Amino acid sequence: MRNVGIIGVGYTPVFVSKRKDVNLAEMVSESVEAVFRNTGLSPDDIDAITFGNMQTFEGVNLPHLLMSEHIRAVDKPIIRIATGGTTGMSTLQAAYYYVASGIYDVVLAVSWEKQSEGDSQVGLAGIVMPEAMVMVQHGMDLLGGRGMGGMGGGSTGAAAYQAMSYLHHSGADPEHIDKMAALERSNAALNPYAHLRKKTTVEDVQATPFISWPLRYGHTCPTSDGATACIVASEEKAAKLADKVAWIIGVGCCTSDPSTANFIEGQMTDPADQTVCKIAAKKAYEMAGIEDPAKEIDLAELYDGFAHQSLMWLEKLGLCKEGEAHKLLDRGVLNIDGDLPTNPSGGVFSTNAIGSSAMNRATECALQIMRKIEGEHQVPKTVKKALAHGWGGLFQYVTVMILSDTPRKI
Amino acid sequence: MERKVAVVGYAMTRQASDIGVPRPIMLFELVKGLFDQMGITRDDIDTFVLCSNDFQCGRTISNVFEDTPVGAYMKDETKVEADGVMAVMYGAIRIMSGLYDTALVVGNSLGGSEFRPYLIMDYQLHPAYDRQLGILNEPVTAALQAKAYMEKYKITEDHLNKIAARLLRNAAKNPFALRGKEDATPEYIASSEYLYEPLRELHCYPFTDGACAVVLASDKRAKALTDKPVWIKGFGDSIEGYFLGDRDLSWSRSAKVAADRAYRMAGISNPAKEIDVAEISIKFASQEPIICEALGLFPEGSGAEVADRGLAEIGGEMPVCPSGGGLGAYPFSAMGLIRVAECAKQINGEAGDIQVKDVKTAVAHGQDGFCAQHNAVMVLSSEEG
Amino acid sequence: MAFQMGEETRQVQATWDVTTYNYKVDGRGIKLLADGMKDKKILGIRCHNCGTVYVPGPPFCRKCYIPIDEIAEVKDSGEVVSFAVEMADVRGNPLDEVRVSGMIKLDGSDTFINGRIQVDDWHDVHIGMRVKAVWVPEPQGNLSDIDHFEPI
Ligand SMILES: [Zn+2]
């Protein structure tokens, strides 16, 4: 096993709801060219590529084939990874394994989504389409109007169940979700690569209508177009190629079952239980040699499709005790200048090009550690260790990555 | 290579045009059966690598409903959307990273009964150009590729018929293959209809349901799990450009680059001599010489001679696809995994009627894209070395 | 200087059609459940190894990784594990009437089902609340045979 670090990050110039000026390949190539520009490296320095997106969102199967030239992959090894919302992190973890194994020294990880070119609702419905058909055949009212109906939680899916259960068990109030939403949107306003960039107050959030109580329209993430490219390298290569490195010192991943939002198999897990998250975090902490994450982690970038999730993940990841996250929020601990800045980038909640969303959690941590953040959301405190988190599947899949300013002792 | 990795167990479903059970049941029965046969439980697996594809499954995040059937509940799992050889490679890389000692790699595809393979391939076309024009589809591109090779090296349709007949005869002896014919002759192949000249129906892969599971282990664990580990000695993959007009279709640049990587890692300098059997993924008979030549198994442009002299027969100089390969069955995401498993079978002497004599080293190959745009190559051996 | 997007490219249409698939789905568990409802019974599958009762029943136990087929009947009453109050449709338009959908753990089962909870004032609904099924007058053997749940 050898040490692996992130040596450079490149984003598309913007993450917005519609990039009508570029096609799929052109958009993704922008991120690849950006990472080469930012690192001073060239395609010749790259040994292999890992690549991911959620392909049903654009309707192109195996899009790495289509854009092999645009991402400078010709004559190189390339692997396509896809795990849903976590795709970006799974793709970056693949790059980690590629280098840690000793097979390759410098690997480019690329993840993206161009949601404007497809129908996200079709893409999402596609997760349980066959099962939903069978349920309808057996007389289920899918929209939940009556009977044993509903895919769960009405129009926001099982997220509303999750939010409700989380509030109940944590003791947080619905207003804490508003407050977290306002905090993250205001962080996003400082980040040039965020999609929804508007300084937002709690009152602004509270002015948005409820979709499924306790979730408001202002608690939900946008759909975005954008791409991210990231170069990882072995310790030896990093010393030659980079001035600053964010070391990947812990990786973890866990999956459970698709039952949370799928009626057909018997739902087994309370969506706010998140044992998967705890298992994934435990693995990553063990690998990173972290005993007390609440003390040792300086910054967190969490995958929050809905604003309550940031609070929930903080607890499940052991960054605070269960039921404490909203107290940290109230005390300002989660602010950019707080003790545990949480989603200084604005999170997935503000920018969601799905395939790249989980990778962006890690790249943001890396840039914070390297102090190379473009924009105003660089946290004032020194970041030694940061945690990046991804969430996906049908509520059942969690990835965790710990980044550090110093490599692991091996 | 820091750590060595071996194939320590494998199982495949029968490959069928309709396997008759839903995907989760197929996967559960396959993997549970493999665990029982190996005397292990799902707790013996450190990491799960699934190989499937959202378009093939008609499902966004296809692994969502595959996790529990393969035993990944509350485990580390990831999904590769590419050929099965890529998935085995990624499983091996995960073990080589030192974080895991065992990996289960599972690929599946229901191209026989659930989706239409040519349509799924259409979704790989450029959405704003090729898909709009509607000229290209998979057999058309294959016919272009076939012509490019045949014109350049003066080989005839009769040679393609010989290749296809050999593969169908092999497949007839492979109890897992979907389509075989014991007494297939070139004339029999020639009697099938043209799809796109020069390709006839029996030159093309059959639409197939199937799944395959492979257990990998580090050198540390391998010997505890089997007394016949098959070592992964080398692997490599490579991609080329998308537009067919930019490529010389008479050979496969990416297969050559991939093979070079795999051979370098495996320490193979003369593949034609050192490799005892090849299991390659071809979708059309015309791809066999192109891929074999890129893999250095036969000299460039030797397609006619190889077919005429029967060099690729089970008893020939360089047996290619004793299983019947892609003409016997082509279950997309499981295809490359089955090639790896067939290599392991050959090395372990478990191949029954399709056994090649004295196999020490075997090569498995997988492909993605039109005219095999992306190729993956893996070298397996009985020797740990 | 802020990034300026270029000119719009041409837009073309193409489809990804999920109706071109012939999906096979294991519907045994859901059929068992639906069929039983004709007699106002709620049927699931118990794992003979760990005792977990799944409603609807899957073909194998996720935890034990063994095939399971032991039919288990559970009660039509249970506890609210979580709930949501739907106030708008997917497009964000307010609904005429809010409705409460619950995640309910039926007595005797280890899993949850979803169902509508009928109450006069949704503020009365809370996690841990006991509810029971209200059946339609003439059950047909399908999942709409329970019209809704109401507080006990
Ligand atoms: Zn059990």
Side-chain angles (χ1 to χ4, degrees):
Chain A
M1 197 183 312
R2 48 186 197 159
N3 278 315
V4 182
I6 292 177
I7 61 169
V9 177
Y11 296 124
T12 43
V14 283
F15 285 72
V16 290
S17 55
K18 289 188 175 78
R19 278 300 299 279
K20 285 192 168 179
D21 57 330
V22 285
N23 66 24
L24 299 175
E26 288 164 352
M27 186 190 78
V28 178
S29 78
E30 288 178 348
S31 69
V32 173
E33 296 311 319
V35 79
F36 287 134
R37 207 164 49 236
N38 295 346
T39 53
L41 300 183
S42 80
D44 292 341
D45 295 306
I46 303 297
D47 296 333
I49 294 164
T50 64
F51 181 96
N53 76 315
M54 276 177 83
Q55 53 188 10
T56 56
F57 279 66
E58 290 84 13
V60 179
N61 190 15
L62 306 182
H64 63 294
L65 299 170
L66 175 70
M67 53 181 79
S68 63
E69 286 166 313
H70 296 78
I71 57 174
R72 310 296 193 102
V74 172
D75 285 347
K76 295 191 193 298
I78 182 166
I79 189 165
R80 179 178 159 75
I81 305 286
T83 58
T86 36
T87 292
M89 180 88 76
S90 299
T91 302
L92 185 56
Q93 290 194 352
Y96 167 83
Y97 291 117
Y98 264 44
V99 177
S101 68
I103 300 295
Y104 300 110
D105 292 325
V106 184
V107 175
L108 170 68
V110 181
S111 66
W112 60 280
E113 214 68 76
K114 198 162 191 285
Q115 297 210 64
S116 68
E117 292 207 6
D119 185 335
S120 303
Q121 293 301 333
V122 170
L124 288 172
I127 306 176
V128 289
M129 186 64 76
E131 286 69 25
M133 299 302 202
V134 171
M135 291 188 262
V136 170
Q137 282 173 3
H138 284 288
M140 178 182 274
D141 177 0
L142 275 187
L143 294 175
R146 64 193 199 89
M148 291 163 75
M151 306 283 287
S155 39
T156 54
Y161 285 158
Q162 185 184 60
M164 193 60 238
S165 175
Y166 170 69
L167 292 180
H168 176 79
H169 293 290
S170 68
D173 298 322
E175 289 71 33
H176 285 111
I177 308 181
D178 303 333
K179 202 169 172 183
M180 193 68 213
L183 169 65
E184 294 201 37
R185 283 283 150 79
S186 299
N187 288 351
L190 306 172
N191 176 5
Y193 297 103
H195 176 181
L196 299 178
R197 305 185 56 208
K198 187 167 177 284
K199 194 159 167 37
T200 301
T201 62
V202 174
E203 291 71 32
D204 294 337
V205 177
Q206 287 172 344
T208 63
F210 281 109
I211 303 171
S212 280
W213 197 86
L215 291 181
R216 295 174 183 276
Y217 186 71
H219 295 158
T220 59
C221 60
T223 57
S224 316
D225 288 359
T228 303
C230 177
I231 297 178
V232 302
S234 64
E235 192 164 5
E236 194 179 303
K237 278 281 184 175
K240 286 185 195 140
L241 299 177
D243 54 340
K244 283 181 182 172
V245 184
W247 299 98
I248 298 171
I249 62 166
V251 292
C253 164
C254 187
T255 182
S256 63
D257 65 327
S259 71
T260 301
N262 159 41
F263 185 77
I264 203 163
E265 293 190 322
Q267 305 171 67
M268 209 152 75
T269 325
D270 180 332
D273 166 72
Q274 290 301 331
T275 302
V276 268
C277 181
K278 294 177 192 172
I279 294 174
K282 186 166 174 281
K283 277 192 215 159
Y285 291 143
E286 272 173 16
M287 182 179 158
I290 288 178
E291 281 160 13
D292 185 352
K295 275 208 181 113
E296 297 175 58
I297 299 290
D298 299 308
L299 178 145
E301 277 283 350
L302 311 174
Y303 194 112
D304 54 340
F306 303 89
H308 70 279
Q309 290 185 329
S310 300
L311 298 170
M312 182 182 77
W313 299 130
L314 284 171
E315 297 175 9
K316 308 300 173 186
L317 292 163
L319 297 177
C320 63
K321 291 201 183 70
E322 300 232 6
E324 297 279 318
H326 64 283
K327 296 176 190 166
L328 300 187
L329 175 66
D330 285 340
R331 296 210 314 264
V333 173
L334 309 184
N335 294 348
I336 283 186
D337 58 358
D339 282 344
L340 179 60
T342 298
N343 289 357
S345 66
V348 179
F349 174 62
S350 304
T351 314
N352 188 25
I354 296 192
S356 68
S357 286
M359 184 185 282
N360 286 12
R361 309 285 61 76
T363 53
E364 282 295 309
C365 286
L367 293 170
Q368 290 280 2
I369 288 170
M370 302 190 227
R371 300 200 80 75
K372 282 189 172 178
I373 287 283
E374 290 176 57
E376 309 298 316
H377 64 297
Q378 176 76 53
V379 303
K381 73 180 283 193
T382 304
V383 182
K384 288 183 181 306
K385 289 191 172 70
L387 180 145
H389 159 271
W391 168 68
L394 200 53
F395 276 66
Q396 91 255 40
Y397 199 93
V398 169
T399 53
V400 174
M401 184 177 273
I402 315 290
L403 295 113
S404 169
D405 63 345
T406 41
R408 242 155 46 103
K409 286 193 186 68
I410 294 180
Chain B
M1 195 190 317
E2 210 170 306
R3 306 180 96 199
K4 293 168 196 154
V5 179
V7 173
V8 295
Y10 45 85
M12 61 182 82
T13 64
R14 124 194 107 83
Q15 295 138 46
S17 49
D18 184 352
I19 202 143
V21 293
R23 186 187 317 272
I25 309 283
M26 170 178 78
L27 291 174
F28 175 73
E29 286 172 354
L30 172 72
V31 175
K32 175 78 177 155
L34 175 58
F35 288 171
D36 290 349
Q37 171 200 318
M38 292 178 70
I40 62 172
T41 71
R42 69 188 195 91
D43 288 331
D44 291 304
I45 303 296
D46 296 342
T47 181
F48 292 73
V49 178
L50 294 180
C51 185
S52 65
N53 174 298
D54 289 7
F55 281 82
Q56 291 170 30
C57 295
R59 186 194 290 286
T60 306
I61 328 179
S62 57
N63 49 331
V64 154
F65 284 83
E66 296 175 1
D67 286 349
T68 45
V70 303
Y73 180 65
M74 293 297 173
K75 302 279 184 187
D76 177 271
E77 179 265 338
T78 195
K79 182 183 86 175
V80 172
E81 259 180 343
D83 175 76
V85 172
M86 292 299 298
V88 177
M89 185 189 300
Y90 186 33
I93 282 178
R94 283 185 156 227
I95 291 174
M96 286 174 189
S97 78
L99 287 179
Y100 309 99
D101 279 306
T102 53
L104 175 75
V105 188
V106 187
N108 82 88
S109 179
L110 297 177
S113 65
E114 242 184 57
F115 68 90
R116 303 176 199 172
Y118 291 160
L119 182 63
I120 270 22
M121 289 299 290
D122 272 3
Y123 291 131
Q124 294 179 19
L125 289 169
H126 194 301
Y129 185 69
D130 291 324
R131 258 166 88 182
Q132 304 292 329
L133 288 176
I135 294 169
L136 293 185
N137 58 38
E138 190 174 36
V140 166
T141 59
L144 290 171
Q145 185 188 29
K147 285 255 170 163
Y149 182 86
M150 291 164 76
E151 298 265 319
K152 184 166 173 188
Y153 297 112
K154 306 286 172 254
I155 89 163
T156 64
E157 278 186 43
D158 185 50
H159 293 115
L160 295 189
N161 297 340
K162 282 181 177 164
I163 292 170
R166 185 192 98 246
L167 290 170
L168 292 190
R169 286 195 305 272
N170 288 356
K173 290 188 247 170
N174 173 6
F176 293 93
L178 155 64
R179 180 177 70 182
K181 190 163 168 60
E182 218 173 312
D183 54 355
T185 57
E187 293 71 34
Y188 169 71
I189 305 294
S191 71
S192 66
E193 295 290 326
Y194 274 127
L195 276 188
Y196 288 91
E197 189 270 327
L199 294 180
R200 296 176 183 276
E201 196 191 330
L202 290 176
H203 293 139
C204 306
Y205 68 96
F207 298 164
T208 312
D209 285 1
C212 181
V214 169
V215 178
L216 306 177
S218 65
D219 42 0
K220 203 173 93 193
R221 283 296 307 280
K223 284 157 200 159
L225 291 167
T226 178
D227 46 8
K228 287 199 277 190
V230 172
W231 299 95
I232 295 176
K233 304 282 284 188
F235 48 72
D237 70 288
S238 183
I239 193 170
E240 49 199 297
Y242 166 82
F243 286 101
L244 299 180
D246 295 344
R247 292 163 55 186
D248 177 356
L249 297 178
S250 69
W251 73 302
S252 176
R253 177 187 175 90
S254 53
K256 168 103 173 63
V257 175
D260 285 350
R261 279 200 183 100
Y263 294 154
R264 204 179 317 126
M265 186 170 157
I268 286 180
S269 50
N270 186 347
K273 257 204 182 134
E274 294 172 65
I275 287 165
D276 303 313
V277 62
E279 275 289 348
I280 62 174
S281 296
I282 55 146
K283 290 181 158 179
F284 304 91
S286 47
Q287 288 185 336
E288 187 176 283
I290 298 175
I291 299 295
C292 284
E293 289 163 26
L295 265 54
L297 304 177
F298 296 116
E300 192 186 315
S302 63
E305 192 199 346
V306 171
D308 288 338
R309 292 180 49 207
L311 300 179
E313 297 277 357
I314 291 178
E317 235 168 60
M318 168 59 69
V320 176
C321 290
S323 67
L327 264 48
Y330 204 105
F332 277 50
S333 289
M335 185 65 185
L337 269 148
I338 292 174
R339 305 281 71 72
V340 171
E342 288 291 342
C343 285
K345 266 189 203 173
Q346 290 286 351
I347 289 168
N348 282 344
E350 294 167 347
D353 291 345
I354 53 171
Q355 181 67 49
V356 173
K357 268 190 199 153
D358 302 326
V359 177
K360 277 204 179 71
T361 305
V363 64
H365 159 269
Q367 62 152 307
D368 277 311
F370 291 98
C371 302
Q373 186 193 344
H374 182 218
N375 288 277
V377 177
M378 179 170 278
V379 179
L380 297 116
S381 169
S382 56
E383 282 167 19
E384 185 174 350
Chain C
M1 199 181 70
F3 172 78
Q4 295 292 323
M5 267 191 265
E7 259 177 66
E8 277 191 21
T9 55
R10 253 176 72 190
Q11 312 286 311
V12 289
Q13 296 285 311
T15 57
W16 175 47
D17 189 354
V18 287
T19 60
T20 56
Y21 296 83
N22 305 305
Y23 296 112
K24 291 194 201 81
V25 178
D26 183 62
R28 287 175 293 180
I30 204 113
K31 185 169 188 307
L32 177 74
L33 174 65
D35 287 353
M37 290 177 77
K38 195 165 174 33
D39 305 318
K40 297 194 181 181
K41 281 185 178 171
I42 299 180
L43 301 178
I45 300 284
R46 178 187 288 110
C47 171
H48 54 274
N49 191 47
C50 68
T52 302
V53 175
Y54 299 89
V55 181
F60 51 87
C61 177
R62 268 154 244 174
K63 295 183 255 186
C64 305
Y65 202 55
I66 49 171
I68 54 174
D69 58 3
E70 190 182 312
I71 295 176
E73 185 178 347
V74 305
K75 297 267 170 49
D76 68 352
S77 58
E79 187 182 308
V80 175
V81 175
S82 191
F83 67 97
V85 188
E86 292 174 58
M87 298 183 171
D89 66 15
V90 255
R91 309 263 170 235
N93 307 310
L95 297 176
D96 296 339
E97 172 184 36
V98 303
R99 54 189 192 204
V100 183
S101 58
M103 203 170 187
I104 298 158
K105 184 168 189 275
L106 296 174
D107 296 332
S109 139
D110 293 297
T111 61
F112 321 125
I113 56 145
N114 302 327
R116 182 178 166 210
I117 302 173
Q118 185 88 40
V119 282
D120 293 334
D121 181 354
W122 66 265
H123 294 92
D124 295 339
V125 182
H126 58 92
I127 287 176
M129 186 169 80
R130 299 280 306 159
V131 292
K132 70 173 173 35
V134 176
W135 295 80
V136 298
E138 284 177 37
Q140 302 295 312
N142 69 45
L143 298 170
S144 296
D145 287 343
I146 291 178
D147 189 72
H148 61 271
F149 289 84
E150 65 179 19
I152 298 175

